[in-house]
Amino acid sequence: MIIARPEWFGRRKYGGWGVSVKTWQGAAYLASVLLILVAVQLLPLSTMARIYVTAAWLVFLFLDMFDVMWKVRRDEREYIHEAVAERNAAWAMMPVLVLGIFIQLISSSLKGDPYVDPVPVIALVAGVIAKSVTNYRLEREN
């Protein structure tokens, strides 16, 4: 546990991933994090120093929130609901990514310079790897 406490937050059910504020302490934590981020931008620093300080702050914030998301308590029903919601989100994103890759490839090929942004391709490959590893692990456990 770094700074934020899991009891200050709840699982975000609607509107994305992550956590939502549950108590006044969570709201105060979020407000202080944002105020510090704004304050850093107002400091008389060089551009590179500002970038480094902001990046360090965002890495800290990511680690702190990842710790909270990992520790937020859920009951068995919430785990099942979350698993179904995550599966449905993945199924909704996959055809959009694949279609986007094909449109990009066809469009760039028609211009004589075939190109595909590697980020969606990497995302799809990472998804396949995550699914394969998860299925392998679950089969080994059962």
Side-chain angles (χ1 to χ4, degrees):
M1 185 166 12
I2 301 175
I3 293 178
R5 305 282 187 261
E7 54 272 9
W8 297 348
F9 301 92
R11 180 178 73 86
R12 178 172 285 183
K13 297 177 186 178
Y14 314 104
W17 288 268
V19 293
S20 60
V21 174
K22 191 165 86 173
T23 66
W24 71 266
Q25 292 96 334
Y29 173 82
L30 186 60
S32 65
V33 163
L34 293 175
L35 284 174
I36 291 171
L37 190 59
V38 169
V40 166
Q41 304 312 310
L42 298 175
L43 289 175
L45 299 171
S46 70
T47 302
M48 288 310 295
R50 185 175 291 114
I51 289 171
Y52 288 135
V53 171
T54 301
W57 182 247
L58 292 175
V59 166
F60 164 78
L61 178 61
F62 174 79
L63 292 173
D64 201 22
M65 283 291 96
F66 186 78
D67 181 59
V68 167
M69 288 187 293
W70 191 262
K71 294 177 180 175
V72 167
R73 297 193 189 273
R74 293 169 287 201
D75 62 21
E76 186 175 327
R77 180 183 54 86
E78 287 176 314
Y79 275 110
I80 293 169
H81 287 188
E82 187 172 28
V84 170
E86 293 292 336
R87 180 205 61 202
N88 291 346
W91 277 104
M93 288 185 283
M94 282 187 322
V96 172
L97 288 170
V98 170
L99 184 62
I101 290 169
F102 282 128
I103 289 171
Q104 195 174 48
L105 182 60
I106 290 168
S107 173
S108 63
S109 293
L110 290 174
K111 294 176 184 173
D113 186 23
Y115 172 78
V116 173
D117 183 1
V119 174
V121 175
I122 292 168
L124 288 172
V125 170
V128 168
I129 292 169
K131 181 177 180 180
S132 299
V133 168
T134 302
N135 280 328
Y136 177 78
R137 186 175 149 242
L138 292 173
E139 285 178 2
R140 301 274 294 170
E141 287 177 359
N142 293 331

